[in-house]
Amino acid sequence: MAEPVEIITPVLKHASVDALPEPDRELVRLAHEAALRAYARYSNFQVGAALRMADGTVVTGNNQENASFPAGICAERTALHAAMSQWPEGVVVDMAIVVPSITGDRAVSPCGICRQALLEQEFRQNAPLRLLMAILQGPVFEVKRAGQLLPMSFDASFLRS
Ligand code: THU
């Protein structure tokens, strides 16, 4: 007989950006500013990300699209790879993701490829990477570890070292 396995992802919902502590609000502000610099001429869907590293360094990114659509890259990976290419030993503690122009009250959560990249980063740094998914006029969703968005994921533990 098959045994059901329940997978629960703990997500925190904050009422608004104003309900966050100042360091988080600043990260959301910077992600918002980054979104406004996105190159999103094909989708018109601007996304910004801002991450803070353990030493306080903040790095931002936004989506960069391409006429050959799959060549484009999301805001989250732009920020993450920019940070890690400069500080390969860096520890990314927090990342805010903001979409300024979204309708309704649903913040954007990272796509599957970005979830995989964020999970890899958690393995790489052996520490959790906290995510804030925000819109300016509405709730902010938080996960304490990016990997919580990717249950039953494939990671380094499956590969022989
Ligand atoms: N996009 C991101 O940058 N991050 C996300 O979390 C979701 C999607 C971008 C990719 C593409 O440039 C545009 O949004 C529409 O999919």
Side-chain angles (χ1 to χ4, degrees):
M1 200 185 78
E3 178 193 345
V5 179
E6 200 173 357
I7 298 175
I8 296 171
T9 296
V11 180
L12 290 171
K13 184 179 178 182
H14 303 271
S16 69
V17 177
D18 292 338
L20 299 173
E22 173 50 27
D24 288 346
R25 288 207 302 272
E26 187 196 18
L27 217 51
V28 169
R29 261 197 310 276
L30 292 169
H32 177 243
E33 285 169 21
L36 301 179
R37 299 188 295 268
Y39 181 64
R41 64 177 287 173
Y42 302 103
S43 71
N44 272 322
F45 190 77
Q46 293 186 302
V47 187
L51 62 82
R52 185 177 286 114
M53 307 180 78
D55 69 354
T57 304
V58 171
V59 177
T60 64
N62 47 35
N63 48 336
Q64 297 291 321
E65 297 187 346
N66 194 286
S68 171
F69 292 179
I73 184 166
C74 296
E76 295 91 325
R77 277 174 294 142
T78 303
L80 178 63
H81 297 329
M84 297 318 291
S85 62
Q86 292 175 87
W87 299 286
E89 306 300 328
V91 173
V92 181
V93 180
D94 305 302
M95 177 186 281
I97 305 160
V98 176
V99 175
S101 64
I102 205 157
T103 50
D105 68 351
R106 227 159 44 105
V108 156
S109 57
C111 79
I113 297 174
C114 288
R115 291 175 195 214
Q116 187 73 33
L118 294 164
L119 178 74
E120 183 72 26
Q121 182 60 28
E122 290 188 318
F123 266 83
R124 184 171 175 179
Q125 65 188 24
N126 194 26
L129 195 171
R130 175 172 163 267
L131 284 185
L132 293 168
M133 294 156 273
I135 47 178
L136 295 188
Q137 311 293 334
V140 179
F141 294 91
E142 171 182 348
V143 288
K144 298 281 184 200
R145 293 187 296 108
Q148 286 171 334
L149 290 181
L150 200 58
M152 290 190 78
S153 49
F154 180 75
D155 59 41
S157 65
F158 289 98
L159 300 174
R160 276 180 293 166
S161 52

